[in-house]
Amino acid sequence: VVARPGGDEFILVVDGLAGMPALAELADQLYRNISTGIYWQGRFIPTSVSIGGALFEAGDTEPDTVLIRSDYALYQAKRTGRGRAVIYDEAVRGRHDRANRLGRHLRNEIEEGDLEFEFQPKLDVSTGEISGVETLVRWHHPTEGRLTPDRFLDLAVENGLMAELDYAGIDALFRLGRDLAADGRPDIQLAFNASPQLLADPDFQPRLSRK
């Protein structure tokens, strides 16, 4: 059974696979066949595909469980360079479990306001004075230690937390802006990084205007 949930994503449901090696062989065969390219109106068009595969396991009762696993494997295929097939094996399961645990911790940190924010100064080279600041997020995890954004932003994207993480950074930045204004520096420009998830949030502009 082949289904197209939307865009350029397709779901294949295959019955009768003997196990993980058979799934890996099928994924490799699909990858090779799709990546050969096509001819259209006398022109060659190269094609590529990223594949994530997972098995319906003993004890599974909901199809969504397998979809979640295969979607995570697909995310890993895209994250590690695209144009490849990744199977949800024990190694991928371990990364997924860790990502879920950290994702829950990150959600709590955002909701409780426990993340830390640093403010990187922007220097006007013509005058030598600070003209603005940019907010940077930092996370001190209780067991993982101090995590920099390159280690947890992917978690935020995977868990649908990127927009809320950005909002937390904006709140911290505007608090700093009010402090600077009270200290006689209302001219300091405030800057933050806006993720695609934040820009796609319909509440972004209204919330920003209320600041």
Side-chain angles (χ1 to χ4, degrees):
V1 177
V2 180
R4 177 173 176 254
D8 59 354
E9 290 194 355
F10 295 85
I11 297 172
L12 276 69
V13 181
V14 183
D15 188 25
L17 290 176
M20 199 71 72
L23 177 61
E25 182 179 351
L26 174 62
D28 182 63
Q29 181 182 355
L30 287 170
Y31 173 78
R32 285 186 281 107
N33 288 342
I34 295 174
S35 299
T36 55
I38 61 173
Y39 282 93
W40 183 72
Q41 294 187 353
R43 297 178 59 185
F44 177 75
I45 301 175
T47 56
S48 63
V49 63
S50 297
I51 298 174
L55 289 176
F56 199 89
E57 301 172 1
D60 289 340
T61 58
E62 298 293 333
D64 283 350
T65 302
V66 187
L67 287 175
I68 290 171
R69 293 187 192 128
S70 61
D71 192 56
Y72 184 80
L74 175 61
Y75 177 80
Q76 293 298 308
K78 293 179 177 179
R79 184 171 177 266
T80 53
R82 298 179 177 272
R84 58 182 303 183
V86 171
I87 302 302
Y88 195 93
D89 55 16
E90 287 305 313
V92 176
R93 185 191 303 276
R95 292 196 293 272
H96 194 192
D97 289 343
R98 180 178 180 274
N100 284 337
R101 288 195 301 272
L102 287 176
R104 289 192 294 271
H105 291 163
L106 180 59
R107 183 182 297 277
N108 290 335
E109 294 286 294
I110 295 173
E111 292 176 352
E112 297 297 327
D114 291 335
L115 290 172
E116 296 183 3
F117 294 92
E118 297 177 355
F119 302 98
Q120 180 172 276
K122 294 183 177 181
L123 188 68
D124 187 334
V125 294
S126 63
T127 63
E129 294 187 359
I130 294 176
S131 60
V133 293
E134 178 182 357
T135 183
L136 304 173
V137 62
R138 299 291 183 263
W139 182 17
H140 285 269
H141 190 273
T143 59
E144 299 281 337
R146 188 173 187 269
L147 301 178
T148 51
D150 61 298
R151 295 187 60 190
F152 66 83
L153 289 185
D154 282 345
L155 285 173
V157 174
E158 288 179 41
N159 289 272
L161 298 172
M162 199 64 230
E164 291 306 316
L165 182 62
D166 285 342
Y167 283 130
I170 293 172
D171 289 341
L173 183 66
F174 276 78
R175 286 195 297 271
L176 175 68
R178 288 190 287 269
D179 291 341
L180 288 171
D183 198 38
R185 292 302 308 270
D187 57 316
I188 296 292
Q189 296 178 352
L190 307 178
F192 60 89
N193 293 305
S195 66
Q197 291 79 9
L198 178 65
L199 297 176
D201 185 357
D203 198 35
F204 171 48
Q205 186 173 350
R207 286 183 64 168
L208 189 61
S209 299
R210 291 195 295 269
K211 300 298 181 182

